[in-house]
Amino acid sequence: MKKRVLTGDRPTGPLHLGHYVGTIINRVKLQKEYETFIIIADVQALTTNFEHPELLKNDVFQVAVDNLACGVDPNISSIFIQSMIPEIAELTVYYSMLVSVNLLSHNPTIKTEAKQYNFEKSMPYGFLGYPVSQAADITFCKANLVPVGEDQLPHIELTRKIVRKFNQLYGEVLVEPEPLLSHMPRLPGLDGGAKMSKSLGNCIYLGDSKEVVEKKIKRAVTDPKRIHPTDLGHPEVCTVFTYHKAFNQNDYLEIEHSCREGKIGCVACKEKLISVINQFLEPIRERRKYYEERKKEVMEILYEGTKKAKKIAEETLEEVRAAIKIDYFK
Ligand code: ATP
Ligand code: MG
């Protein structure tokens, strides 16, 4: 039997370069070797966007289109919608008994995001608990490997803890997953912020036009100490250089050298990046257009993916309920 991959995104807007280089690249690479499940985590989106459920439908569609446009093959990978699998919610409840509130409130990603959403004084219970629900996302299909960005590492660690505790208490039912990071596990934002993030508006989206990409890169933050093109640069603090490193594998070492020597200015460096990113995005834009015009086909892909994931969830939950003795009428 093939090992399994589970990974996915929150439908809080279209996907960006950070998603591609942080996780999608590995989804596409591994999908032949692993049985792959891609979750569109709509319930998790509600943990921060609960006031705007009207946005979900379109965002679910956009996230599906982005994954397909990047090369996720619906004939071998299953893309599914979290809320359509109530077994995940049930599993979340069982897991919630195995985790302390204290542990959740010390999770560094929860802390950063709570600040971002002004949840520090009044933390929604569902938001604090989303890593528990994520443990259910990962384990209902007994995933072995979870390709994620760096911000997700504390959550995978929590999943591993829950699995160990569950198996120890109730018997070996669950599989302990491993995280998988890419060569660029955290792409910074155009504003120089630590993370390109849908919710921070500092992104180059996979569907951005040539013109938009050009405009965004021209405004991107670079090494603040560099005024003239001949000043010696510090690529390690430059967002534009990090993008070269992520997407321009052939030339980034040369660019690093020229920048340090003051032989390439920021304007020329940005021009190179604009061309690299636009070349990279062109086929993705084309495939996006294809799927955007075929909404019915995309919804069928989601329907089939959800059906397959649901069957596996039902099987796992039978085992889970038996293990915790919630099987009265058997
Ligand atoms: P939101 O701000 O709404 O949470 P997001 O941009 O963080 O959106 P998610 O849907 O939460 O996106 O994340 C989906 C996956 O993409 C996760 O594995 C996450 O680690 C990864 N990811 C997101 N942003 C980046 C980034 N800038 N660099 C690397 N990986 C990223
Ligand atoms: Mg996120």
Side-chain angles (χ1 to χ4, degrees), residues 232-252:
L232 305 189
H234 307 86
E236 66 280 5
V237 299
C238 176
T239 305
V240 170
F241 176 70
T242 310
Y243 294 173
H244 274 292
K245 209 167 157 185
F247 292 95
N248 191 4
Q249 303 265 300
N250 291 335
D251 290 338
Y252 83 92

Side-chain angles (χ1 to χ4, degrees), residues 146-286:
V146 193
V148 281
E150 191 181 74
D151 62 312
Q152 296 298 307
L153 287 180
H155 302 344
I156 310 293
E157 203 38 56
L158 180 79
T159 299
R160 290 166 59 86
K161 270 198 183 117
I162 291 174
V163 167
R164 288 198 293 268
K165 194 157 181 183
F166 185 101
N167 285 349
Q168 189 197 349
L169 283 171
Y170 308 123
E172 286 287 323
V173 173
L174 304 173
V175 170
E176 199 173 323
E178 300 271 352
L180 177 72
L181 294 182
S182 72
H183 70 291
M184 184 57 67
R186 182 178 45 78
L187 195 72
L190 285 161
D191 54 357
K195 182 176 165 247
M196 186 179 279
S197 163
K198 294 186 223 100
S199 310
L200 294 173
N202 58 4
C203 308
I204 295 177
Y205 294 102
L206 298 173
D208 277 350
S209 69
K210 270 186 170 162
E211 297 70 29
V212 168
V213 167
E214 182 172 350
K215 219 192 269 168
K216 285 183 174 175
I217 293 180
K218 280 190 169 159
R219 279 203 235 113
V221 170
T222 54
D223 173 3
K225 290 211 178 105
R226 250 186 135 197
I227 315 283
H228 309 290
T230 49
D231 292 347
L232 305 189
H234 307 86
E236 66 280 5
V237 299
C238 176
T239 305
V240 170
F241 176 70
T242 310
Y243 294 173
H244 274 292
K245 209 167 157 185
F247 292 95
N248 191 4
Q249 303 265 300
N250 291 335
D251 290 338
Y252 83 92
L253 286 172
E254 196 192 315
I255 288 171
E256 178 172 20
H257 184 74
S258 309
C259 172
R260 281 194 202 287
E261 302 271 298
K263 287 186 180 148
I264 183 173
C266 294
V267 173
C269 181
K270 284 182 170 181
E271 288 296 340
K272 275 183 195 268
L273 183 70
I274 290 166
S275 148
V276 165
I277 299 291
N278 272 331
Q279 248 182 50
F280 164 74
L281 286 179
E282 197 43 42
I284 295 180
R285 282 185 199 119
E286 263 170 42

Side-chain angles (χ1 to χ4, degrees), residues 9-11 13-17 19-20 24 27-28 38 40 58-72 79 198 204-208 281 284-285 287-289 291-292 298:
D9 316 284
R10 305 196 319 145
L15 302 187
H16 51 68
L17 292 180
H19 293 105
Y20 184 86
I24 298 180
R27 297 175 195 177
V28 174
I38 296 174
I40 303 185
N58 182 48
D59 284 340
V60 165
F61 176 69
Q62 291 299 331
V63 168
V65 167
D66 279 324
N67 272 282
L68 293 165
C70 286
V72 168
I79 312 179
K198 294 186 223 100
I204 295 177
Y205 294 102
L206 298 173
D208 277 350
L281 286 179
I284 295 180
R285 282 185 199 119
R287 285 196 297 267
R288 265 195 126 268
K289 191 161 174 283
Y291 284 111
E292 270 199 305
V298 174

